[in-house]
Amino acid sequence: MSGTTATAPLNPARTLATAARVLRQLAHDPRTVGLLLLVPVLLITLLRYVFDGSPRTFDSIGASLLGIFPLITMFLVTSIATLRERTSGTLERLLAMPLGKGDLIAGYALAFGAVAVLQSLLATGLSVWALGLDVMGSPWLLLLVAVLDALLGTALGLFVSAFAASEFQAVQFMPAVIFPQLLLCGLFIPRDQMAPLLEAISDVLPMSYAVDGMNEVLQHTDITGDFVRDILIVAGCALLVLALGAATLRRRTA
Amino acid sequence: MMNSSGVAVEARGLTVQRGSRTVLRGLDFTVEPGRITGLLGPSGCGKSTLMRAVVGTQAKVTGTLQVLGSPAGHPSLRPRVGYVTQAPSVYTDLTVRQNLDYFAAVLRPGRAHRDTRRDAVTRALTEVDLTSHEDALAGNLSGGQRTRVSLAVALLGTPDLLVLDEPTVGLDPVLRRDLWQLFHTLAAERSTTLLISSHVMDEAERCHRLLLMREGEILADDTPDALRTAAGTDTVEEAFLHLVDAAATRKENAR
Ligand SMILES: Nc1ncnc2c1ncn2[C@@H]1O[C@H](COP(=O)(O)OP(=O)(O)OP(=O)(O)O)[C@@H](O)[C@H]1O
Ligand SMILES: [Mg+2]
């Protein structure tokens, strides 16, 4: 009696209905929306003036941060949102209804992906056109990487929320899952200058490729092979973790 | 619609383990189609667990449990079984109508069904008497109102089997009477099978059949009339107490 067999992996109409529902929930919470959209903008502005004397540093750290913001915010928002879905009983109800696990996961990814597009448009637009962030490549590529990062954040958030029994635990997963990646992603020192062991670890962490991808856009006018590899890795990781997240959803619980 | 033996739910040796406890111990019972079956028993006796097993959300279920002719939890049952959890399970940060719109879209997705969905939502809102609150946030409703939103969700899809876990707790007598009238209408006109738990014994009199439970076991499975007659009492409550005492005595003697 496992009851895990789904009829089809995805039902577009149910996925869209789920995404619309998640966005409607956000719409009733304007403060969260405001924080999601404005905090990155304010932080990147702050960064610009912290590095007022060294625009080169602002370029490289700024570009990396444009990839890291969406990852962190979407991670937090998603892990809390799905935890609430579990504890409020709505998840149990939905899984007793004809909703595929894929529909639920894809619905969340779609909704938070849309928020990430908006968030990244604001932060990237402001950095490039108002704060003088100097990118060689197209700013649209920055946006593409940022959205993939957001998807990765959503995926990680969905996944860890399965292991969190309370909001306290969910929030603690942020430093546990995100900070090591932050330290090792090349933001503080280039990855090839790290001790070999640390570099090897950073090679298997997805955020490293998110930051590498941003730096490729920063330094090259056209799309490089490395850039394509980086975004494929980030996208692949996001999909893999989303699939893992779906696997952690249990229709039958103790 | 039903399986060959003509019952809506059939359990044989149904056992459920939760944590280190055996919460249901080898239950045998049936639920008749198109009737209201009350599931009664003291707090903690396993009513919710039994209902979760029937709708297929309970893990560690052993024995056989057939629901509408399929094993409990079978994917084909999901559109046919409506379930109201004991705690209201709705999105508190959505309005009443937005909640129902979403669950309706899960049951009948696609643009083609938009009108059907709207009608179903409006009908469900009327049935639980919440039309005047359809634009209120579910989180801003009173406890009883939220219970009714949760109930309305289960009424959306015209299910063949409705499993309602204490649907009338905290509701006033007028509303309770109206809801029980609705339950009887559903059984009579749509041949819906209803399995309703309660620990309010006066509601037992309104059921066609009763399953009396105690400590993970079924003490009696009969009509309210038959239960009263067998125990020689005036009310189901007295009959239940009589059965509990008899069971306790039997246990003593067996020792
Ligand atoms: N998640 C759980 N893990 C372990 N044991 C549990 C869990 N949930 C419930 N139980 C135990 O299972 C038994 C039956 O619980 P259940 O919720 O089915 O009772 P109930 O008859 O619905 O009670 P009530 O009338 O208070 O709702 C109880 O003894 C309870 O302690
Ligand atoms: Mg209960």
Side-chain angles (χ1 to χ4, degrees), chain B residues 43-44 46-49 51 86 165-166 197 199:
Chain B
S43 174
K47 301 182 294 293
S48 297
T49 308
M51 297 190 132
Q86 188 165 1
D165 202 347
E166 309 205 7
S197 77
H199 49 230

Side-chain angles (χ1 to χ4, degrees), chain B residues 2-255:
Chain B
M2 301 303 153
N3 65 356
S4 49
S5 54
V7 296
V9 179
E10 180 171 27
R12 291 285 162 259
L14 175 68
T15 301
V16 173
Q17 190 83 24
R18 293 188 91 165
S20 57
R21 302 172 63 105
T22 307
V23 174
L24 300 183
R25 306 153 190 274
L27 305 189
D28 298 316
F29 64 90
T30 55
V31 173
E32 291 179 14
R35 318 235 76 196
I36 302 179
T37 302
L39 182 59
L40 287 109
S43 174
C45 70
K47 301 182 294 293
S48 297
T49 308
L50 189 154
M51 297 190 132
R52 280 167 45 86
V54 168
V55 299
T57 58
Q58 179 64 50
K60 297 205 179 152
V61 180
T62 49
T64 55
L65 183 55
Q66 292 285 118
V67 176
L68 304 174
S70 306
H74 192 272
S76 68
L77 291 175
R78 281 176 211 142
R80 301 178 61 197
V81 177
Y83 172 41
V84 180
T85 49
Q86 188 165 1
S89 46
V90 291
Y91 298 100
T92 50
D93 47 2
L94 288 181
T95 67
V96 174
R97 190 172 265 278
Q98 286 174 336
N99 265 291
L100 294 179
D101 281 344
Y102 173 55
F103 288 111
V106 168
L107 286 168
R108 249 190 234 101
R111 280 174 156 274
H113 297 292
R114 235 187 8 214
D115 294 339
T116 337
R117 282 205 299 269
R118 212 191 23 244
D119 294 346
V121 168
T122 307
R123 196 201 49 199
L125 278 172
T126 317
E127 282 168 348
V128 300
D129 193 21
L130 272 179
T131 332
S132 56
H133 284 81
E134 63 171 47
D135 293 322
L137 277 187
N140 292 344
L141 297 177
S142 73
Q145 289 170 330
R146 213 172 306 147
T147 305
R148 285 185 274 155
V149 183
S150 197
L151 180 59
V153 174
L155 299 174
L156 282 174
T158 55
D160 296 325
L161 170 66
L162 262 178
V163 178
L164 311 177
D165 202 347
E166 309 205 7
T168 56
V169 159
L171 301 184
D172 60 276
V174 180
L175 197 60
R176 263 175 44 191
R177 183 201 58 199
D178 291 352
L179 284 177
W180 275 95
Q181 253 160 28
L182 170 67
F183 299 156
H184 277 278
T185 313
L186 290 175
E189 287 172 14
R190 288 190 212 152
S191 326
T192 309
T193 308
L194 293 102
L195 179 62
I196 304 178
S197 77
S198 173
H199 49 230
V200 191
M201 290 290 171
D202 66 318
E203 294 195 328
E205 318 273 354
R206 313 193 208 210
C207 300
H208 298 124
R209 285 192 77 85
L210 293 174
L211 293 172
L212 296 187
M213 280 183 79
R214 180 176 169 271
E215 289 177 15
E217 283 166 10
I218 293 204
L219 287 185
D221 173 0
D222 221 327
T223 63
D225 270 342
L227 283 171
R228 281 191 300 259
T229 314
T233 57
D234 290 337
T235 62
V236 172
E237 176 153 9
E238 285 165 336
F240 179 68
L241 292 173
H242 179 85
L243 282 165
V244 170
D245 289 342
T249 319
R250 264 203 310 279
K251 239 180 207 160
E252 285 287 303
N253 293 345
R255 220 172 264 164

Side-chain angles (χ1 to χ4, degrees), chain A residues 1 3 5 11 13-14 17-18 21 24-25 28 84-85 88-90 92-99 251-254, chain B residues 18 52 56-59 72-73 75 78 83 89-91 93-94 98 102-103 105-107 109-110 137 150 153-154:
Chain A
M1 287 207 257
T5 38
N11 175 310
R14 288 199 177 103
T18 303
R21 184 263 296 174
R24 277 198 196 107
Q25 287 180 286
H28 283 290
R84 270 173 32 186
E85 185 111 56
S88 69
T90 46
E92 176 175 354
R93 165 166 245 161
L94 282 176
L95 291 179
M97 291 173 106
L99 182 82
R251 284 193 195 269
R252 288 180 181 274
T253 50
Chain B
R18 293 188 91 165
R52 280 167 45 86
T57 58
Q58 179 64 50
R78 281 176 211 142
Y83 172 41
S89 46
V90 291
Y91 298 100
D93 47 2
L94 288 181
Q98 286 174 336
Y102 173 55
F103 288 111
V106 168
L107 286 168
L137 277 187
S150 197
V153 174

